[in-house]
Amino acid sequence: MPPGHASEAEFESRLSVEQARTRVLALCAERRLASESVALDHALGRVLAVDLVATHDQPPFANSAMDGFALRGAELPREGERRFRVAAQMFAGAPVDIGFGPGECVRITTGAPLPRDADTVVIKENVRLDGDAIVVGAGERVGANVRPAGEDIRAGEQALCAGDALTPARLGVLAACGHAHAQVARRPRVALFVTGDELVPPDQALGYGQIHDSNRYSLGGMLRGLGIEPEPVAHLRDDKEALRVALLEAARRCDLVISSGGVSAGEADYLPGLVAEVGRVHFWKVRMKPGMPILCGEIEGALVFALPGNPVSTLATFQLFVRPALLALQGSNEAGLPPRKARLAMPHMKRHERAEYLRARLEWRDDGACWATPLEKQGSGMLRGMADADALVALPEGACALEAGAVVDIVPLPGLC
């Protein structure tokens, strides 16, 4: 597949965004990464590889939800007051059970095991102390302030699912179920290339026709945001043989190879032809704006994503295709989630046929709805617009006129809560 300019008929035959995403997810399903055991301290953000079934109740015993006094609910007064002698006290972590007799109670702290025969806790603020006793008034509820055994998770119940991303709360569930380690998918090994003779490092003065290399930092940041540290980023010049060697070496080491630039139809855009020559192209060009020239292929089993070099196109195609691929390789349940919805804050006229992704700011208004305002600068080389955006507004294929208030799909960008 040597690079060349596509005719209009050829362009119309290119994949839609959804067709391309479906192809990517299918390719990744065939390449699911093996699992490994990781200590909980290092498991944040990892993808659980197996279902977690609780081996014991959580909480494992009935306990007090409040500081107060444990007693038999049947002895609570229906009217007036009743006096209960404080027979003992029970603290969290108590090594032995405590009994008490009729007309007695046990002082108890939050989390302490409920004494045998007790089924109710009256909070300390609702009693009056009277020497070695308490006085309880009418109106207390039988069974109040007690957390039964298994209230949260029952033994034998599935507590977490394979594919769940390990959030702080899910790490807590693992620990509460008695696990100090988690069986998680291995992190993908990723090689990242930026290509182009015009690129120079940010700390180097620009010569004629040169630009500073921003994609290595944007793409590297996207990867690190997913907990993936890429191999040292290589800057490759527009040299066909150097590109060939770099692609082959990276494919032998890594699960996924990402490049930016050199993927369109110009004289120095060698990547489409090279990937076809040393591997296989799964698709090249998607009916979208920005980012149309994206290529997905494989070399020696490693997936290859050749992204356009324009900064906005690079980030948009990463978010739409590479991010789902990285999640799917790890078996994440988030890989194929449908887009979120918002209302368009202003009218928009779309005059072309490709799907379009507008950079937009989001706001939640008093009506409870999320509203998206497209930014003024929408050019594929305008990185400032991407930096100011919270999300991409996804407009479907075909020309259309959208009114303010129209419901649209959005793709949240990294950093959005």
Side-chain angles (χ1 to χ4, degrees), residues 14-104:
R14 303 308 185 192
L15 296 184
S16 69
V17 172
E18 284 311 307
Q19 287 172 329
R21 282 171 59 88
T22 299
R23 185 80 60 86
V24 166
L25 294 178
L27 289 167
C28 294
E30 300 168 359
R31 294 167 165 79
R32 284 277 295 274
L33 299 175
S35 66
E36 59 187 7
S37 180
V38 175
L40 294 191
D41 285 338
H42 304 289
L44 181 63
R46 302 294 292 269
V47 178
L48 196 62
V50 295
D51 294 337
L52 174 66
V53 177
T55 57
H56 61 263
D57 287 345
Q58 177 59 29
F61 49 83
N63 66 90
S64 177
M66 300 287 285
D67 293 337
F69 298 86
L71 46 74
R72 296 173 178 85
E75 295 185 342
L76 287 169
R78 294 188 178 181
E79 56 185 32
E81 296 180 334
R82 181 165 184 177
R83 190 172 183 274
F84 294 85
R85 189 180 75 85
V86 180
Q89 57 187 11
M90 182 77 92
F91 294 108
V96 295
D97 194 2
I98 293 176
F100 63 103
E104 294 182 333

Coordinates of all heavy atoms in Angstrom, one line a residue, residues 14-104:
R14 N -13.4 4.3 2.7 CA -12.7 4.2 3.9 C -13.6 3.9 5.1 O -14.8 4.2 5.0 CB -11.9 5.5 4.2 CG -10.9 5.9 3.1 CD -10.0 4.7 2.7 NE -9.0 5.2 1.8 CZ -8.2 4.4 1.0 NH1 -8.3 3.1 1.2 NH2 -7.3 4.9 0.2
L15 N -13.1 3.5 6.2 CA -13.9 3.1 7.3 C -14.5 4.3 8.0 O -13.9 5.3 8.1 CB -13.1 2.3 8.4 CG -12.5 0.9 7.9 CD1 -11.8 0.3 9.1 CD2 -13.5 0.0 7.4
S16 N -15.7 4.1 8.6 CA -16.2 5.0 9.5 C -15.5 4.9 10.8 O -14.8 4.0 11.1 CB -17.7 4.8 9.7 OG -17.9 3.6 10.4
V17 N -15.7 5.9 11.7 CA -15.1 5.9 13.0 C -15.5 4.6 13.8 O -14.7 3.9 14.4 CB -15.5 7.2 13.8 CG1 -15.0 7.0 15.3 CG2 -14.8 8.4 13.2
E18 N -16.8 4.3 13.8 CA -17.3 3.2 14.5 C -16.8 1.9 13.9 O -16.4 0.9 14.7 CB -18.8 3.2 14.6 CG -19.4 4.2 15.6 CD -18.7 4.1 16.9 OE1 -18.7 2.9 17.5 OE2 -18.2 5.1 17.4
Q19 N -16.7 1.8 12.6 CA -16.1 0.6 12.0 C -14.6 0.4 12.4 O -14.2 -0.7 12.7 CB -16.2 0.7 10.5 CG -17.6 0.5 9.9 CD -17.7 0.8 8.4 OE1 -17.0 1.6 7.9 NE2 -18.6 0.1 7.7
A20 N -13.9 1.5 12.4 CA -12.5 1.5 12.8 C -12.4 1.1 14.3 O -11.5 0.2 14.6 CB -11.8 2.8 12.5
R21 N -13.2 1.7 15.1 CA -13.1 1.3 16.6 C -13.4 -0.1 16.8 O -12.8 -0.8 17.6 CB -14.0 2.2 17.4 CG -13.5 3.6 17.6 CD -14.5 4.5 18.2 NE -15.0 4.0 19.5 CZ -14.5 4.3 20.6 NH1 -13.4 5.1 20.7 NH2 -15.0 3.9 21.7
T22 N -14.5 -0.6 16.1 CA -14.8 -2.0 16.2 C -13.7 -2.9 15.8 O -13.4 -4.0 16.4 CB -16.1 -2.3 15.4 OG1 -17.2 -1.5 15.9 CG2 -16.5 -3.8 15.5
R23 N -13.0 -2.6 14.7 CA -11.9 -3.4 14.2 C -10.7 -3.3 15.3 O -10.1 -4.4 15.5 CB -11.4 -2.8 12.9 CG -10.3 -3.5 12.2 CD -10.8 -4.7 11.5 NE -11.8 -4.3 10.4 CZ -11.4 -3.9 9.2 NH1 -10.2 -3.9 8.8 NH2 -12.4 -3.6 8.3
V24 N -10.5 -2.2 15.8 CA -9.4 -2.1 16.8 C -9.7 -3.0 18.0 O -8.9 -3.7 18.5 CB -9.2 -0.6 17.3 CG1 -8.4 -0.5 18.5 CG2 -8.6 0.2 16.2
L25 N -10.9 -2.9 18.6 CA -11.3 -3.7 19.8 C -11.2 -5.2 19.5 O -10.8 -6.0 20.3 CB -12.7 -3.3 20.2 CG -12.8 -1.9 20.8 CD1 -14.2 -1.6 21.2 CD2 -11.9 -1.6 21.9
A26 N -11.6 -5.6 18.3 CA -11.5 -7.0 17.9 C -10.0 -7.5 17.8 O -9.7 -8.6 18.3 CB -12.2 -7.2 16.6
L27 N -9.2 -6.6 17.3 CA -7.8 -7.0 17.2 C -7.2 -7.1 18.6 O -6.4 -8.0 18.9 CB -7.0 -5.9 16.4 CG -7.3 -5.8 14.9 CD1 -6.7 -4.5 14.3 CD2 -6.6 -7.0 14.2
C28 N -7.6 -6.2 19.5 CA -7.1 -6.3 20.9 C -7.6 -7.5 21.6 O -6.9 -8.0 22.5 CB -7.4 -5.0 21.6 SG -6.5 -3.6 20.9
A29 N -8.9 -7.9 21.4 CA -9.4 -9.0 22.1 C -8.6 -10.3 21.7 O -8.5 -11.2 22.6 CB -10.9 -9.2 21.6
E30 N -8.0 -10.3 20.6 CA -7.2 -11.5 20.2 C -5.8 -11.4 20.8 O -5.1 -12.4 20.8 CB -7.0 -11.5 18.6 CG -8.3 -11.6 17.8 CD -8.0 -11.3 16.4 OE1 -6.9 -11.0 16.0 OE2 -9.0 -11.4 15.6
R31 N -5.5 -10.3 21.4 CA -4.1 -10.1 22.0 C -4.1 -9.8 23.5 O -3.2 -9.2 24.0 CB -3.4 -9.0 21.2 CG -3.2 -9.2 19.8 CD -2.8 -7.9 19.0 NE -2.2 -8.2 17.7 CZ -2.9 -8.5 16.7 NH1 -4.2 -8.6 16.7 NH2 -2.2 -8.7 15.5
R32 N -5.1 -10.3 24.2 CA -5.2 -9.9 25.6 C -4.0 -10.3 26.3 O -3.4 -11.4 26.1 CB -6.4 -10.7 26.2 CG -7.8 -10.1 25.9 CD -8.1 -9.0 26.8 NE -8.2 -9.5 28.2 CZ -9.4 -10.0 28.7 NH1 -10.5 -10.1 27.9 NH2 -9.4 -10.4 29.9
L33 N -3.5 -9.4 27.1 CA -2.2 -9.6 27.8 C -2.4 -10.5 29.0 O -3.4 -10.6 29.6 CB -1.7 -8.2 28.3 CG -1.4 -7.2 27.2 CD1 -1.0 -5.9 27.8 CD2 -0.4 -7.7 26.2
A34 N -1.3 -11.2 29.3 CA -1.3 -12.1 30.5 C -1.4 -11.3 31.8 O -1.2 -10.1 31.8 CB 0.0 -12.9 30.5
S35 N -1.7 -12.0 32.9 CA -1.9 -11.4 34.2 C -0.7 -11.6 35.0 O 0.2 -12.4 34.8 CB -3.1 -11.9 34.9 OG -3.0 -13.3 35.2
E36 N -0.6 -10.8 36.1 CA 0.5 -10.9 37.1 C -0.1 -10.4 38.4 O -1.1 -9.7 38.5 CB 1.6 -10.0 36.7 CG 1.3 -8.5 36.5 CD 2.4 -7.7 36.0 OE1 3.5 -8.2 35.6 OE2 2.3 -6.4 36.0
S37 N 0.6 -10.9 39.5 CA 0.2 -10.5 40.8 C 1.0 -9.3 41.3 O 2.2 -9.2 41.2 CB 0.5 -11.7 41.8 OG 0.1 -11.3 43.1
V38 N 0.2 -8.3 41.8 CA 0.8 -7.0 42.2 C 0.3 -6.7 43.6 O -0.9 -6.8 43.9 CB 0.4 -5.9 41.2 CG1 0.9 -4.5 41.7 CG2 0.9 -6.2 39.8
A39 N 1.2 -6.2 44.4 CA 0.9 -5.8 45.8 C -0.1 -4.6 45.7 O 0.0 -3.8 44.8 CB 2.1 -5.3 46.6
L40 N -1.1 -4.5 46.6 CA -2.1 -3.5 46.6 C -1.5 -2.1 46.5 O -2.1 -1.2 45.9 CB -3.1 -3.6 47.7 CG -4.0 -4.9 47.8 CD1 -5.0 -4.7 48.8 CD2 -4.6 -5.1 46.4
D41 N -0.4 -1.9 47.2 CA 0.2 -0.6 47.2 C 0.6 -0.1 45.8 O 0.8 1.1 45.6 CB 1.5 -0.6 48.1 CG 1.2 -0.6 49.6 OD1 0.1 -0.1 49.9 OD2 2.0 -1.0 50.4
H42 N 0.8 -1.0 44.9 CA 1.2 -0.7 43.5 C 0.1 -1.0 42.5 O 0.4 -1.1 41.3 CB 2.5 -1.4 43.2 CG 3.6 -1.2 44.2 ND1 4.3 0.0 44.2 CD2 4.1 -2.0 45.1 CE1 5.2 0.0 45.2 NE2 5.1 -1.2 45.7
A43 N -1.1 -1.3 42.9 CA -2.1 -1.7 42.0 C -3.1 -0.7 41.6 O -4.0 -0.9 40.8 CB -2.9 -2.9 42.7
L44 N -3.0 0.6 42.1 CA -3.9 1.6 41.7 C -3.9 1.8 40.2 O -2.9 2.0 39.6 CB -3.5 2.9 42.4 CG -4.5 4.1 42.1 CD1 -5.9 3.8 42.7 CD2 -3.9 5.4 42.8
G45 N -5.1 1.8 39.6 CA -5.3 2.0 38.2 C -5.1 0.8 37.3 O -5.4 0.8 36.1
R46 N -4.6 -0.3 37.9 CA -4.5 -1.5 37.2 C -5.8 -2.1 36.9 O -6.8 -1.8 37.5 CB -3.5 -2.5 37.9 CG -2.2 -1.9 38.2 CD -1.3 -1.7 37.0 NE -1.0 -2.9 36.3 CZ 0.1 -3.6 36.5 NH1 1.0 -3.2 37.4 NH2 0.4 -4.7 35.8
V47 N -5.9 -3.1 35.9 CA -7.1 -3.7 35.5 C -7.2 -5.1 36.1 O -6.3 -5.9 35.9 CB -7.2 -3.8 34.0 CG1 -8.5 -4.5 33.6 CG2 -7.2 -2.3 33.4
L48 N -8.2 -5.4 36.9 CA -8.3 -6.7 37.5 C -8.5 -7.8 36.5 O -9.3 -7.6 35.5 CB -9.5 -6.6 38.5 CG -9.7 -7.8 39.5 CD1 -8.5 -7.7 40.5 CD2 -11.0 -7.6 40.3
A49 N -7.8 -8.9 36.6 CA -7.8 -9.9 35.6 C -8.7 -11.1 35.9 O -9.1 -11.9 35.1 CB -6.4 -10.5 35.4
V50 N -9.2 -11.1 37.2 CA -10.1 -12.2 37.6 C -11.2 -11.6 38.4 O -11.1 -10.6 39.0 CB -9.3 -13.3 38.4 CG1 -8.3 -14.0 37.5 CG2 -8.7 -12.7 39.6
D51 N -12.4 -12.4 38.5 CA -13.4 -12.0 39.4 C -13.0 -12.2 40.8 O -12.2 -13.1 41.1 CB -14.7 -12.8 39.1 CG -15.3 -12.6 37.7 OD1 -15.1 -11.5 37.2 OD2 -16.0 -13.5 37.3
L52 N -13.4 -11.3 41.7 CA -13.1 -11.4 43.1 C -14.4 -11.9 43.8 O -15.4 -11.2 43.8 CB -12.7 -10.1 43.7 CG -12.5 -10.1 45.2 CD1 -11.4 -11.0 45.6 CD2 -12.4 -8.7 45.8
V53 N -14.3 -13.1 44.3 CA -15.5 -13.7 45.1 C -15.1 -13.7 46.6 O -14.0 -14.2 46.9 CB -15.7 -15.1 44.6 CG1 -16.9 -15.8 45.5 CG2 -16.2 -15.1 43.1
A54 N -15.9 -13.1 47.4 CA -15.6 -13.0 48.8 C -15.6 -14.4 49.5 O -16.5 -15.2 49.3 CB -16.7 -12.1 49.5
T55 N -14.6 -14.6 50.3 CA -14.5 -15.9 51.0 C -15.1 -15.8 52.4 O -15.3 -16.8 53.1 CB -13.1 -16.3 51.2 OG1 -12.3 -15.2 51.8 CG2 -12.4 -16.6 49.8
H56 N -15.5 -14.5 52.8 CA -16.1 -14.4 54.1 C -17.0 -13.1 54.1 O -16.9 -12.3 53.2 CB -15.1 -14.2 55.3 CG -14.2 -13.1 55.1 ND1 -12.9 -13.2 54.6 CD2 -14.4 -11.7 55.5 CE1 -12.3 -12.0 54.6 NE2 -13.2 -11.1 55.1
D57 N -17.9 -13.1 55.0 CA -18.8 -11.9 55.1 C -18.0 -10.6 55.3 O -17.0 -10.6 56.0 CB -19.8 -12.1 56.2 CG -20.9 -13.1 55.9 OD1 -21.0 -13.5 54.7 OD2 -21.6 -13.5 56.8
Q58 N -18.6 -9.5 54.8 CA -18.0 -8.2 55.1 C -19.1 -7.3 55.5 O -20.0 -7.0 54.6 CB -17.2 -7.7 53.9 CG -16.7 -6.3 54.0 CD -15.7 -6.2 55.2 OE1 -15.0 -7.1 55.5 NE2 -15.6 -5.0 55.7
P59 N -19.2 -6.8 56.7 CA -18.3 -7.1 57.8 C -18.4 -8.5 58.2 O -19.4 -9.1 58.1 CB -18.7 -6.1 58.9 CG -20.1 -5.8 58.6 CD -20.3 -5.8 57.1
P60 N -17.3 -9.1 58.8 CA -17.3 -10.5 59.2 C -18.2 -10.8 60.4 O -18.4 -11.9 60.7 CB -15.8 -10.8 59.4 CG -15.2 -9.5 59.7 CD -16.0 -8.4 58.9
F61 N -18.6 -9.7 61.2 CA -19.4 -9.9 62.4 C -20.3 -8.7 62.5 O -20.0 -7.6 62.0 CB -18.5 -10.1 63.6 CG -17.4 -9.0 63.7 CD1 -17.7 -7.8 64.3 CD2 -16.2 -9.3 63.3 CE1 -16.8 -6.8 64.4 CE2 -15.2 -8.3 63.3 CZ -15.5 -7.0 63.9
A62 N -21.4 -8.9 63.2 CA -22.3 -7.8 63.5 C -21.5 -6.8 64.4 O -20.9 -7.2 65.4 CB -23.5 -8.3 64.2
N63 N -21.6 -5.5 64.1 CA -20.9 -4.5 64.9 C -21.7 -3.2 65.0 O -22.7 -3.0 64.3 CB -19.5 -4.3 64.3 CG -19.6 -3.6 62.9 OD1 -19.5 -2.4 62.8 ND2 -19.6 -4.5 61.9
S64 N -21.2 -2.4 65.9 CA -21.9 -1.1 66.2 C -21.5 -0.1 65.1 O -20.3 0.1 64.8 CB -21.5 -0.6 67.6 OG -22.1 0.6 67.8
A65 N -22.5 0.6 64.6 CA -22.3 1.7 63.7 C -22.0 3.0 64.4 O -21.6 4.0 63.7 CB -23.5 1.8 62.8
M66 N -22.2 3.1 65.7 CA -22.0 4.3 66.4 C -21.4 4.1 67.8 O -21.5 2.9 68.3 CB -23.4 5.0 66.6 CG -24.1 5.4 65.3 SD -23.3 6.8 64.4 CE -23.9 8.1 65.4
D67 N -20.9 5.1 68.4 CA -20.5 5.0 69.8 C -21.8 5.1 70.6 O -22.7 6.0 70.4 CB -19.6 6.2 70.2 CG -18.3 6.1 69.6 OD1 -17.9 5.0 69.2 OD2 -17.6 7.1 69.5
G68 N -22.0 4.2 71.6 CA -23.2 4.2 72.4 C -23.3 3.0 73.4 O -22.3 2.6 74.0
F69 N -24.5 2.4 73.5 CA -24.7 1.4 74.4 C -25.5 0.3 73.8 O -26.6 0.5 73.2 CB -25.5 1.9 75.7 CG -24.7 3.0 76.4 CD1 -24.8 4.3 76.0 CD2 -23.9 2.6 77.4 CE1 -24.0 5.3 76.6 CE2 -23.1 3.6 78.1 CZ -23.2 4.9 77.7
A70 N -25.0 -1.0 73.8 CA -25.6 -2.1 73.2 C -26.6 -2.7 74.2 O -26.2 -2.9 75.4 CB -24.6 -3.1 72.8
L71 N -27.8 -3.1 73.8 CA -28.8 -3.7 74.7 C -29.7 -4.6 73.9 O -29.6 -4.7 72.6 CB -29.5 -2.6 75.5 CG -30.0 -1.4 74.7 CD1 -31.2 -1.6 73.9 CD2 -30.2 -0.2 75.7
R72 N -30.7 -5.2 74.6 CA -31.7 -6.0 73.9 C -32.9 -5.0 73.5 O -33.4 -4.3 74.4 CB -32.3 -7.0 74.9 CG -31.3 -8.1 75.3 CD -31.8 -9.0 76.4 NE -30.9 -10.0 76.8 CZ -29.9 -9.9 77.6 NH1 -29.7 -8.7 78.3 NH2 -29.1 -10.9 77.9
G73 N -33.2 -5.0 72.3 CA -34.2 -4.1 71.8 C -35.6 -4.3 72.4 O -36.3 -3.4 72.6
A74 N -35.8 -5.6 72.8 CA -37.1 -5.9 73.4 C -37.3 -5.1 74.8 O -38.5 -5.0 75.3 CB -37.3 -7.4 73.6
E75 N -36.2 -4.7 75.4 CA -36.3 -4.1 76.7 C -36.4 -2.5 76.6 O -36.5 -1.9 77.6 CB -35.1 -4.4 77.5 CG -35.0 -5.9 77.9 CD -33.8 -6.2 78.8 OE1 -32.9 -5.4 78.9 OE2 -33.9 -7.3 79.4
L76 N -36.4 -2.0 75.3 CA -36.6 -0.5 75.2 C -37.9 -0.1 75.7 O -39.0 -0.8 75.5 CB -36.4 -0.1 73.7 CG -35.0 -0.2 73.1 CD1 -35.0 0.0 71.6 CD2 -34.1 0.9 73.8
P77 N -38.0 1.0 76.3 CA -39.3 1.5 76.8 C -40.2 2.0 75.7 O -39.7 2.7 74.8 CB -39.0 2.7 77.8 CG -37.7 3.2 77.2 CD -36.9 2.0 76.7
R78 N -41.5 1.6 75.7 CA -42.4 2.1 74.7 C -42.9 3.5 75.1 O -43.4 4.3 74.2 CB -43.6 1.1 74.6 CG -43.2 -0.2 74.1 CD -44.4 -1.1 73.8 NE -44.0 -2.3 73.2 CZ -44.9 -3.3 72.8 NH1 -46.2 -3.1 73.0 NH2 -44.5 -4.4 72.3
E79 N -42.9 3.8 76.4 CA -43.2 5.2 76.8 C -42.4 5.4 78.1 O -41.9 4.5 78.8 CB -44.7 5.3 77.1 CG -45.2 4.3 78.1 CD -46.7 4.3 78.2 OE1 -47.5 4.7 77.3 OE2 -47.2 4.0 79.4
G80 N -42.3 6.7 78.4 CA -41.5 7.1 79.6 C -40.0 6.8 79.4 O -39.5 6.9 78.3
E81 N -39.4 6.3 80.5 CA -37.9 6.0 80.5 C -37.7 4.7 81.1 O -38.5 4.1 81.9 CB -37.2 7.1 81.3 CG -37.3 8.5 80.6 CD -36.5 9.5 81.5 OE1 -36.3 9.3 82.7 OE2 -36.1 10.5 80.9
R82 N -36.4 4.2 80.9 CA -36.0 2.9 81.5 C -34.5 3.1 81.8 O -33.7 3.6 81.0 CB -36.3 1.7 80.7 CG -35.8 0.4 81.4 CD -36.4 -0.8 80.8 NE -36.0 -2.0 81.6 CZ -36.4 -3.2 81.3 NH1 -37.2 -3.5 80.3 NH2 -36.0 -4.2 82.1
R83 N -34.2 2.5 83.0 CA -32.8 2.6 83.5 C -32.1 1.2 83.2 O -32.7 0.2 83.4 CB -32.8 2.8 85.0 CG -31.4 3.1 85.6 CD -31.6 3.5 87.0 NE -30.4 3.9 87.7 CZ -29.5 3.1 88.2 NH1 -29.8 1.8 88.3 NH2 -28.4 3.5 88.8
F84 N -30.9 1.3 82.6 CA -30.1 0.1 82.3 C -28.7 0.2 83.0 O -28.0 1.3 82.8 CB -29.8 0.0 80.8 CG -31.0 -0.3 80.0 CD1 -31.8 0.8 79.5 CD2 -31.4 -1.6 79.6 CE1 -33.0 0.5 78.8 CE2 -32.5 -1.8 78.9 CZ -33.3 -0.8 78.4
R85 N -28.3 -0.8 83.7 CA -27.0 -0.8 84.4 C -25.9 -1.1 83.3 O -26.1 -2.0 82.5 CB -27.0 -1.9 85.5 CG -25.7 -1.8 86.3 CD -25.7 -2.8 87.4 NE -25.3 -4.1 86.8 CZ -24.1 -4.6 86.7 NH1 -23.0 -3.8 87.0 NH2 -23.9 -5.8 86.2
V86 N -24.8 -0.4 83.3 CA -23.7 -0.6 82.4 C -22.9 -1.8 83.0 O -22.2 -1.6 84.0 CB -22.9 0.6 82.2 CG1 -21.7 0.4 81.3 CG2 -23.7 1.8 81.7
A87 N -23.0 -2.9 82.3 CA -22.4 -4.1 82.9 C -20.9 -4.3 82.4 O -20.1 -5.0 83.1 CB -23.2 -5.4 82.4
A88 N -20.6 -3.7 81.3 CA -19.2 -3.9 80.7 C -19.0 -2.9 79.6 O -19.9 -2.1 79.3 CB -19.0 -5.4 80.2
Q89 N -17.9 -3.0 79.0 CA -17.6 -2.1 77.8 C -16.9 -3.0 76.7 O -16.2 -3.9 77.0 CB -16.8 -0.9 78.2 CG -15.4 -1.2 78.8 CD -14.8 0.1 79.3 OE1 -15.4 1.2 79.3 NE2 -13.5 0.0 79.7
M90 N -17.2 -2.6 75.5 CA -16.7 -3.4 74.3 C -16.1 -2.4 73.4 O -16.8 -1.5 72.9 CB -17.8 -4.1 73.7 CG -17.4 -5.0 72.5 SD -16.5 -6.5 73.0 CE -17.9 -7.6 73.0
F91 N -14.8 -2.5 73.1 CA -14.1 -1.7 72.2 C -13.8 -2.4 70.9 O -13.8 -3.6 70.8 CB -12.7 -1.2 72.8 CG -12.9 -0.3 74.0 CD1 -12.6 -0.8 75.2 CD2 -13.4 1.0 73.8 CE1 -12.8 0.0 76.3 CE2 -13.5 1.8 74.9 CZ -13.2 1.3 76.2
A92 N -13.6 -1.6 69.8 CA -13.2 -2.2 68.5 C -11.9 -3.1 68.7 O -11.0 -2.6 69.4 CB -13.0 -1.2 67.5
G93 N -11.9 -4.3 68.1 CA -10.8 -5.2 68.3 C -10.8 -6.0 69.5 O -9.8 -6.7 69.8
A94 N -11.9 -6.0 70.3 CA -12.0 -6.8 71.5 C -11.8 -8.2 71.2 O -12.4 -8.8 70.3 CB -13.4 -6.6 72.1
P95 N -10.9 -8.9 72.0 CA -10.6 -10.3 71.7 C -11.6 -11.3 72.1 O -11.5 -12.5 71.7 CB -9.2 -10.5 72.5 CG -9.4 -9.5 73.6 CD -10.1 -8.3 73.1
V96 N -12.5 -10.9 73.0 CA -13.5 -11.9 73.5 C -14.9 -11.3 73.5 O -15.1 -10.1 73.6 CB -13.1 -12.4 75.0 CG1 -11.8 -13.1 75.0 CG2 -13.1 -11.2 75.9
D97 N -15.9 -12.2 73.5 CA -17.3 -11.8 73.6 C -17.6 -11.4 75.0 O -16.9 -11.8 76.0 CB -18.2 -12.9 73.1 CG -19.6 -12.4 72.8 OD1 -19.8 -11.2 72.9 OD2 -20.4 -13.3 72.4
I98 N -18.6 -10.6 75.2 CA -19.1 -10.2 76.5 C -20.6 -10.5 76.6 O -21.3 -10.2 75.7 CB -18.8 -8.7 76.7 CG1 -17.3 -8.4 76.8 CG2 -19.5 -8.2 78.0 CD1 -16.9 -7.0 76.9
G99 N -21.0 -11.1 77.7 CA -22.4 -11.3 78.0 C -22.9 -10.2 79.0 O -22.1 -9.6 79.7
F100 N -24.2 -10.1 79.0 CA -24.9 -9.2 80.0 C -26.3 -9.7 80.3 O -26.9 -10.5 79.5 CB -24.9 -7.8 79.5 CG -25.7 -7.5 78.2 CD1 -26.9 -6.9 78.3 CD2 -25.2 -7.9 77.0 CE1 -27.6 -6.7 77.1 CE2 -25.9 -7.7 75.8 CZ -27.1 -7.1 75.9
G101 N -26.8 -9.3 81.4 CA -28.1 -9.8 81.8 C -29.3 -8.9 81.5 O -29.1 -7.8 81.0
P102 N -30.5 -9.3 81.9 CA -31.7 -8.4 81.7 C -31.5 -7.1 82.5 O -30.9 -7.1 83.5 CB -32.8 -9.3 82.3 CG -32.3 -10.7 82.2 CD -30.8 -10.6 82.4
G103 N -32.0 -6.0 81.8 CA -31.9 -4.7 82.5 C -30.5 -4.2 82.4 O -30.2 -3.2 83.1
E104 N -29.6 -4.8 81.7 CA -28.2 -4.3 81.6 C -27.9 -3.9 80.2 O -28.6 -4.2 79.2 CB -27.2 -5.4 82.1 CG -27.3 -5.7 83.5 CD -26.3 -6.7 84.0 OE1 -25.9 -7.6 83.1 OE2 -25.9 -6.7 85.2

